[in-house]
Structure formats: structure tokens, C-alpha cells
Amino acid sequence: MTTETIRSSSGRQPRHLTVAAGIILGSLVAIALVVGISVGIGDMPIPLSTTYSAITNRLGWTMVQLNPIHETVIWEYRLSRALVAVFCGAGLALCGAIMQAMLRNPLAEPYVLGISAGASTGAVAVVILGIGAGAFSLSAGAFAGAFAAFLFVALLSNGARGGADRTILAGVATSQLFNAATSYIVTTSGNAQQARDVMFWLLGSFGGVRWPEFWLVSIIVGLGLIVCLFYARVLDAFAFGDEAASSLGIDVGRTRIILFALTAIMTATIVSMVGTIGFVGLVVPHAARFVVGPLHARLLPACAVTGGVFMVLADIASRTLIPQQVLPIGVVTALVGVPFFSIILYKLQRAS
Amino acid sequence: MSIRAENLVWKVGAKTIVDDVSLIAKPGEMLGLLGPNGSGKTSLLRLLAGLKRPLSGQVTLDGQNIGRIRRRAIAQRVAFIEQHATTNANLKVVDVVKLGRFPHRSMFSGWTSDDDAAVNDALDRTELTAKRNDTWQSLSGGEKQRAHLARALAQSPKELILDEPTNHLDVHHQISLLRLVSQLEVTSIIALHDLNHAAMFCDRLLVMKSGKIIAAGAPEDVLTRELLGDVFSVEAHVSPSPYHARPHIHFVR
């Protein structure tokens, strides 16, 4: 039996690698394709081939003559927007997957910790109350607010010592508190236009993002993905709860702090750039789990890819569903996500 | 000794759950832990596994204070089976058993043939080989419990701590689990409710009441009519079994 096991495992290894390489390649092609489509859509339609040439030109691989207006639109506006959408979707989905594993709750996502609520309060405080007297941007305010919320949750849930349920309760309480603060500021201090602007920002938009945002979010989410992958097996070991994880040799308190801080950093970065986009963190991990199973070494990359593609598609939908008008991205993710989620729930129910 | 506890005290709020408990588990012996519900068995087992820190006193593994040993190093030799560990993740049985290899693998190491052998052996011993690719949610309560045992065996422990592992099992699987544990070359500490099973399989018994150990020793010395009346409030006759010579308890209706 032993020789057979060795032979089969050594024979399996190269095939595994080929399959893995194929899947990675396929994922990259899928992402490139939706990004290309996204870049092509807008007031000025741009064919996929033009986008492709514009990129290869810039990389110095080709010297195709292109319409300079097209090139400007691609480089200055649409490509950065589409790529930011990829990383935001990937980041939110990863955060959802981590939190669902650590809190052992299928409803957990970054917003359960109240991080988005904190970001909103921070943004509103900067925009309406003028805190920081112009020294802070809306993003900086949102980032500070998100972290304040995270620390508040950590305090309420007694650091790492509180259990999973306690963390969720602390998150719900924090959300309520910060949402109330946001509403209070908007209703007492803002004028109608400011309230509308804040509302639009809160529901998420990729409208303002350019290359600086791309670099920041790609580095944060990229590093986040690498760290998560190191913790893939640890997340698996949380399947039976904190005590079981601890008896398998995991420092539960330290792991929880590291991974929650990681989700807080990713979420805060994303929310401060594009507003609070709900539902991606909740729905994508479930969809991915349905396809690749619960083991995190596969689930986490699957979440990153699915989340990225889903977000770009949602961005395309937000720009095309209603002519001449851009819908808030959060509205699209929920409108598309809920029916999709219902299908998964229905299928899961039948499977069990 | 392998596991030794000295004057352990554990409290929840003002309530003392484990009250000045000292014990020694000799290498290779199967130590049964008896006691009514709420007598502190689970808390004591958690302290022994190093999952909780005692308020005072200490647990030592081969003479070393367990509080000073890294979690991973503890997990490489002590396996713990909780009472009601469940999950909403739909893992396969083999994936659950593979979790037992976690403390033996570094963050970067791949899956080795040793790991494979340990997992296959654990599945084999727990009669789960045929179920290796079944999903967790499709298992019966007894199969889940055996999967937990398989996971613990895959951990290749020197010490095995089990909290009422025979709950939910039918009588065939109760006996086969206890027989398996008693045949393992590991030190095991096992909380049990079935006194006859404890008498049959354990080398020594400890009896807890209100957080204290009130009796310890060989089954025939511990399981007396007086003790059963005092600790469990049952009337019973105890006599050596004609089949295995260990004490057998007949409860009086």
C-alpha cells in the first residue's frame, strides 16, 4: 500500500501542477477579457483590439497607429477604473472568505464588523463637518473612520479573547453606532446637495479612481492575498471552532488579530476609494465554495478571481443598465447579487 | 509520567469548577474520568490539554510546564477530542482527518507520503476508509465522532484526551472505539459516562465530584457500592464479571 501511495502521489504531482497552471492562466484570461470589455464600453465605444494594441504599444511590444483620443480615454480613465474594480472585488471577496472561516458564520462579511459604517462616518465628518480643515481628503477620513470602527469592535469583543459570536455582536453594535452618527451628522449639519453627494458615495462608485488608486489597492490586496494564502491551512483548521484549532497547535488569539487587521486594512482601503460596496464579500465566497469546495488553498484564489470578475461586470452593468446615467455600484451588486445568491441557497438546500 | 497535574484550580466567575486537582497519567495507560454531569470533567480535560490556563497549579508534560510549551509543540504530541465539535463547512472526511497533520507540517512544506500513511492508517483503524470521500454533513453522529478520532490519530499523539467520545455511538462502535483506544500505545485520558465500559477498558479510574477528585485507582478498588451511591446517587451491586474479571455493575430498579 505504501509503495502504491508514493507512486500515485509522485505521479499526481506534475499533473496537479499542469492543472493549476491551466486554471491560473484561464483566470487571468477571464480577468483580461472582462477588463477589455469594460474599457470598451462607454459614451465612446472602443473595440477590444484597440484596447489590446494600446496596452501592447505602451509596453513597447508593438507600434500600432491608434486614434490618440482612444488612447487617452483608455489610459486616463477606463483602464485604471477597470483594474481598480478587479482588485476591489478580489479584496472584498477575500475579506468575506476570511471572516466566514474565522467567525464560522455564513453571514459574516467585512460589513459585519462595522468597518463600512465607520468609513462612512469618517467620510461624512470630513465632507460635512469639515474636520481637518481641508488637510484630510474624504478618503483619509474614511480610512480613519474604518479603523476607528475596527478598534471599537476589538475593544467590545474583548480583544481576541471574546469568541466568534461575541465578535459578531460587537460588529453589529458598532455598525449601529456609526450609522447613527452618520445619519445624525447628515440630518443636522448637511444641506440637501451634500446629503445627496454623501449618499452617492456611500453606495459606491468607481467614477473617480485613476492610477494612484490602482497602485495602492493592487499592492494592499496583492499583499493581502499572499498573507491569506500563507494562512490557508490555518483557516481550514478553524472549521471546528477555536478550541479545535487551538488543539491543532494554532495560536488562535494571534491568528485572529492578524487576519482581522488584514481584513480591516483591505476593507478600509477599498471603502475609502470607492465607497461601501455591499454584498460582494458575502456572495462571492459562497459561490466560490459551491464550485471549488471549502478548502482555503483553493477557495481563496477562487474568491479573488471571482470577486474581481464580478466587480468588473457589476461596474459594466452600472454604466449600461440605464442610458446616460451611472448607477451606484452598490445598487448593482445587490440587485445582481441577491437573485444569484438565492439560486445558490436553493441549490445548497437541495444538495443537503 | 507523561501528563501530570498539580493542584489545578479553575473558576468561572466566583464558581470553582476544578478544585485543587492533582493527578498523574503513566505512559501508555488508559485513565478513565468518571463523574456526574457538571462535576468538572470537561474543564479538567481542557486544562490537561493546555487549552485553558489554570487559575493556579500547573500541568506538566514529561516534567515541562505546558504553559511554557509552544502550542504547535503541544499539538505534535497531545490530541484532544471535544464533545460537540461540529462545522458548517462541507468538508470531506479525508480533509477532516488531514487536519490532524497540521501540527506536523510547516507553512511551506508539501504533503508527504508520511502524512498520507498516517491519514490512511487513521481512516483504516476507525473503519472510515470506505467513507473517506463522503461529506461531513452526510455523516451520522457516530461517523462524525469516529472522524474526530481518526483526525486525532492522524496527529500521531503520545497523549490522547477524549471528552465523552462514545456519546452518539451505537453499542458496536462504542465498544470498538474503546477497544481501539485501549490498544493504542498512547497515554489516554478519557471521560466516560458508561461505568461498565469504564471498568472493562480503563487501567485506572478517577472519579470527580463537585470539581474534586474523590477516588482514584484500579476499577475494582474505585467502583464500590458506597461510591456509586455517594457520587451518582444510584443503588447498585458490584461484582466481578465472570467474563472479563473486571467489576460489573448491576443497577437496582
Side-chain angles (χ1 to χ4, degrees), chain B residues 62-115:
Chain B
D62 285 343
Q64 210 185 346
N65 186 342
I66 205 167
R68 301 236 172 83
I69 310 177
R70 287 191 319 122
R71 271 250 54 96
R72 181 181 287 266
I74 297 172
Q76 282 167 357
R77 61 176 290 176
V78 181
F80 178 66
I81 298 181
E82 286 177 84
Q83 211 177 128
H84 300 296
T86 188
T87 180
N88 52 25
N90 210 11
L91 293 160
K92 286 179 188 168
V93 171
V94 63
D95 293 328
V96 173
V97 180
K98 279 180 173 181
L99 288 178
R101 299 306 297 165
F102 182 87
H104 298 283
R105 303 168 72 194
S106 76
M107 237 166 203
F108 304 99
S109 72
W111 186 253
T112 65
S113 53
D114 279 357
D115 294 327

Side-chain angles (χ1 to χ4, degrees), chain B residues 61-219:
Chain B
L61 272 181
D62 285 343
Q64 210 185 346
N65 186 342
I66 205 167
R68 301 236 172 83
I69 310 177
R70 287 191 319 122
R71 271 250 54 96
R72 181 181 287 266
I74 297 172
Q76 282 167 357
R77 61 176 290 176
V78 181
F80 178 66
I81 298 181
E82 286 177 84
Q83 211 177 128
H84 300 296
T86 188
T87 180
N88 52 25
N90 210 11
L91 293 160
K92 286 179 188 168
V93 171
V94 63
D95 293 328
V96 173
V97 180
K98 279 180 173 181
L99 288 178
R101 299 306 297 165
F102 182 87
H104 298 283
R105 303 168 72 194
S106 76
M107 237 166 203
F108 304 99
S109 72
W111 186 253
T112 65
S113 53
D114 279 357
D115 294 327
D116 237 2
V119 167
N120 290 336
D121 184 49
L123 285 168
D124 209 31
R125 284 172 175 234
T126 50
E127 303 172 39
L128 281 171
T129 305
K131 300 251 173 199
R132 62 182 292 145
N133 287 319
D134 288 15
T135 55
W136 184 260
Q137 314 299 353
S138 73
L139 299 182
S140 69
E143 287 164 346
K144 285 177 181 167
Q145 197 62 356
R146 274 148 61 204
H148 280 306
L149 179 63
R151 189 265 303 153
L153 294 181
Q155 228 170 312
S156 316
K158 281 188 190 156
E159 286 87 14
L160 185 56
I161 296 176
L162 307 99
D163 193 1
E164 294 177 18
T166 51
N167 281 3
H168 309 298
L169 295 188
D170 60 44
V171 69
H172 161 71
H173 285 113
Q174 287 187 27
I175 301 282
S176 64
L177 183 142
L178 290 169
R179 187 183 293 135
L180 171 58
V181 172
S182 68
Q183 287 166 351
L184 293 172
E185 287 177 4
V186 301
T187 310
S188 51
I189 302 178
I190 181 168
L192 286 172
H193 270 310
D194 191 311
L195 304 176
N196 282 317
H197 287 170
M200 268 170 74
F201 289 102
C202 294
D203 300 310
R204 271 195 318 137
L205 297 177
L206 300 173
V207 180
M208 280 188 93
K209 185 187 176 188
S210 315
K212 288 181 186 295
I213 289 182
I214 56 157

